[in-house]
Amino acid sequence: SLSRSLCKYRLSLPPTVKKHYLSLAKGTECQVTYVWIDKTKEHLQCKTRTLNNEPAGIRDIPEWDAFWTDGDPTEVILIPVRMFRDPFTLNPNKLVLCEVLDSKRDPIGGHQRSHCVQVMEKVKRFEPWFGMEQEYMLFGLDGKPFGWSPQGCPLTGVSCAVGINKVYGRDICICHYRACLYAGVMICGTNAEALASQWEFQVGPCEGTESGDHLWMARYILHRVCEDFGVVASLDAKPFRQSVYTSGCHTNFSTKEMRSEGGLLYIEEAIRRLSRRHSQHLCVYDPHGGADNMSRLCSQSLTSSYDEFSAASGRRNVSVRIPDHVSRRGCGYFEDRRPAANCDPYSVMRALVETCLLGATGEDDDEEKETVTF
Ligand code: ADP
Ligand code: MN
Ligand code: MN
Ligand code: MN
C-alpha cells in the first residue's frame, strides 16, 4: 500500500537537507510556477519553468501550453493573469495563476473567470467587494481523518477550539497562513472548525474578480503546504456522509453603497432579490449543479435549508446573514452562507452581482415566494 511504501522511502527531506539544495547559488534566472484550475473546476494543476530574469509584472510572463491530468490529449493554452511570490522557493521566484484557453483561444468549457471579469466590468461603479471563508478538512494518506483515533472523531462541535484533544493540525493552518502572507495573497484570518482537523481561512475583502484569484491561489498554497505535512486537504462539501458537519465557503459581499452610511437599505434590497432566485444560485454554488449542497444544506449544525431561502441578522442557520455588527452600524456587508467549500468563487461572485446589481430575473420568479423578514 502507499502508506507502507512511504515508510520505506523518504518523499520529503529533513529541513536542513532541503535548505542546502535551496541555498545553492544560481544566476538571475527566475523559476515561475504556473497554476491553473483543472477540468473538474475543483482541483488545480501546476508546472514550473525558468525565465531568464525576474518578471516585473504579469505582462513579462509568457503564455504556455499545457495538458489535462485526466489523459485528454487536447492541448490548452495557459494565460497568466495574476502573479504572486513563491513562498516555497522564495524570492525572486513566482507563482502565477492562469486562465485556460482552448486552441481557438476561447475560455475552456465551463471555466468561469473570463465571464466573471466581463460582469465585474459592468458593475465597476458599485465597487463590489468579496471576502470568502474557506473551510477544509484534513485527511491522512490512509484516507482517514487526520489524527482521529479508531474510536472516531473527537467532536468539538464548536469553531475556534483550543487544546490538543480538540484540534489537530494547527501547524498546517499556521504555515499556510504565513505562506499566503509571503506570497501576497490577501488572507485576513484563520480559525479551527467544528471537527478536529477541520480548519478555515478567510480571504479578502478584495474588489471584483481579484478575490477569486486570491482564493484559488490560497487553495493552491494549502495543497502544497499539506504535501510537506504528508496530509491531504479536502474541500469536499460533505466530507463524511454520516455526519451533519460540512465544509462551506461563506461569501461576504458589499458595494460602495452598502458600506456607506445607511447602507443597510441596500443590503436588504440585495437580499430581497436573492430570495427570488434561491434555486438558481444553488445551481452554481457547488461544482455539481447543486448536488453537493443538497446533502450539505440540511438545516443542521448552522446550515440552512436547501429548498427554502431564509435571511436574518445575528443568526447563522440561514441562507443569508447580516452580521450583528453590520445591523448595529447600519452599514457594511452581508454573508451568503450557501456556497459549498468546493465552489468556484468566480461563479458565486458572478451570480451575486447579476442578481443583486444587474437585476437579472429568473424564470420561476413568481413561484418562489418572498420570505424575507429582518
Ligand atoms: P464569520 O463570522 O462568518 O465566521 P469571518 O470573520 O470568518 O466571519 O469572515 C469574514 C469575511 O468577511 C472575511 O472573508 C472578510 O474578508 C469579509 N469581509 C469583511 N468586510 C467585508 C466587506 N466590506 N465586504 C465584503 N466582505 C467583507
Ligand atoms: Mn468564519
Ligand atoms: Mn466556519
Ligand atoms: Mn461565516
Side-chain angles (χ1 to χ4, degrees):
S1 75
L2 183 55
S3 51
R4 194 161 322 137
S5 60
L6 278 174
C7 302
K8 242 164 88 189
Y9 306 105
R10 215 197 273 289
L11 290 189
S12 59
L13 292 169
T16 45
V17 184
K18 185 163 178 180
K19 210 167 174 182
H20 163 75
Y21 287 108
L22 288 179
S23 69
L24 294 175
K26 65 177 181 65
T28 57
E29 306 93 341
C30 178
Q31 294 163 292
V32 180
T33 297
Y34 289 56
V35 176
W36 68 99
I37 303 165
D38 81 357
K39 232 177 166 176
T40 65
K41 285 165 272 164
E42 217 182 326
H43 305 287
L44 288 158
Q45 293 180 229
C46 75
K47 59 176 183 171
T48 306
R49 78 193 305 181
T50 307
L51 298 187
N52 288 334
N53 293 295
E54 180 179 356
I58 196 78
R59 261 155 243 232
D60 295 337
I61 304 179
E63 296 176 7
W64 204 6
D65 294 338
F67 296 95
W68 298 117
T69 42
D70 68 345
D72 181 339
T74 323
E75 241 185 85
V76 296
I77 310 167
L78 303 177
I79 310 291
V81 291
R82 202 172 295 278
M83 187 172 84
F84 299 87
R85 305 203 295 165
D86 184 341
F88 304 102
T89 62
L90 309 185
N91 282 334
N93 304 316
K94 308 292 179 208
L95 300 177
V96 60
L97 187 74
C98 300
E99 260 186 39
V100 194
L101 302 187
D102 64 19
S103 52
K104 292 191 213 90
R105 305 189 73 78
D106 290 324
I108 214 81
H111 278 217
Q112 291 296 325
R113 189 184 184 278
S114 59
H115 302 299
C116 184
V117 170
Q118 282 167 16
V119 170
M120 291 304 165
E121 192 53 42
K122 285 193 210 161
V123 296
K124 231 175 162 172
R125 70 198 147 90
F126 292 98
E127 297 176 25
W129 291 4
F130 301 87
M132 284 94 177
E133 304 165 49
Q134 178 70 64
E135 294 178 339
Y136 60 95
M137 176 79 203
L138 300 172
F139 286 87
L141 275 174
D142 55 5
K144 300 215 172 80
F146 175 68
W148 290 15
S149 74
Q151 283 78 41
C153 171
L155 188 72
T156 61
V158 290
S159 332
C160 312
V162 184
I164 191 64
N165 56 338
K166 298 192 189 115
V167 297
Y168 300 154
R170 190 181 295 278
D171 270 351
I172 293 167
C173 172
I174 290 171
C175 294
H176 170 258
Y177 196 168
R178 182 61 74 87
C180 282
L181 288 175
Y182 181 93
V185 167
M186 290 271 282
I187 188 167
C188 62
T190 63
N191 60 266
E193 264 310 325
L195 295 166
S197 54
Q198 188 186 31
W199 295 88
E200 169 178 321
F201 64 83
Q202 297 100 30
V203 165
C206 328
E207 185 153 344
T209 312
E210 197 180 348
S211 6
D213 296 346
H214 283 250
L215 179 61
W216 273 113
M217 192 50 83
R219 286 174 175 178
Y220 171 79
I221 293 172
L222 177 66
H223 294 307
R224 282 286 286 98
V225 166
C226 283
E227 282 181 15
D228 287 343
F229 281 87
V231 299
V232 178
S234 165
L235 305 193
D236 272 4
K238 195 167 167 85
F240 313 102
R241 215 158 297 149
Q242 69 277 18
S243 164
V244 295
Y245 291 93
T246 61
S247 296
C249 186
H250 300 166
T251 301
N252 301 270
F253 174 51
S254 66
T255 59
K256 194 179 170 183
E257 286 162 334
M258 295 176 195
R259 293 187 294 270
S260 311
E261 209 186 314
L264 203 53
L265 282 176
Y266 294 92
I267 291 175
E268 288 174 357
E269 172 58 19
I271 295 176
R272 217 164 282 125
R273 290 182 187 207
L274 286 170
S275 75
R276 299 188 200 113
R277 285 173 47 89
H278 182 57
S279 55
Q280 291 94 328
H281 277 249
L282 282 175
C283 287
V284 297
Y285 278 10
D286 69 55
H288 302 106
D292 296 344
N293 264 329
M294 203 179 283
S295 52
R296 171 179 160 252
L297 298 178
C298 58
S299 310
Q300 292 189 61
S301 80
L302 303 186
T303 65
S304 55
S305 156
Y306 181 84
D307 301 311
E308 254 178 78
F309 182 89
S310 55
S313 169
R315 227 161 28 89
R316 288 177 184 244
N317 55 349
V318 287
S319 315
V320 170
R321 163 183 157 253
I322 302 175
D324 238 355
H325 64 91
V326 173
S327 305
R328 280 198 303 272
R329 278 187 55 210
C331 62
Y333 61 96
F334 67 86
E335 175 192 37
D336 191 333
R337 300 174 61 82
R338 297 170 293 174
N342 55 355
C343 71
D344 177 11
Y346 303 127
S347 308
V348 173
M349 295 190 298
R350 179 183 168 192
L352 280 170
V353 156
E354 283 181 342
T355 297
C356 300
L357 304 182
L358 293 175
T361 53
E363 279 164 23
D364 55 356
D365 267 0
D366 301 332
E367 285 156 39
E368 275 183 70
K369 281 212 311 287
E370 277 188 47
T371 51
V372 189
T373 46
F374 296 99

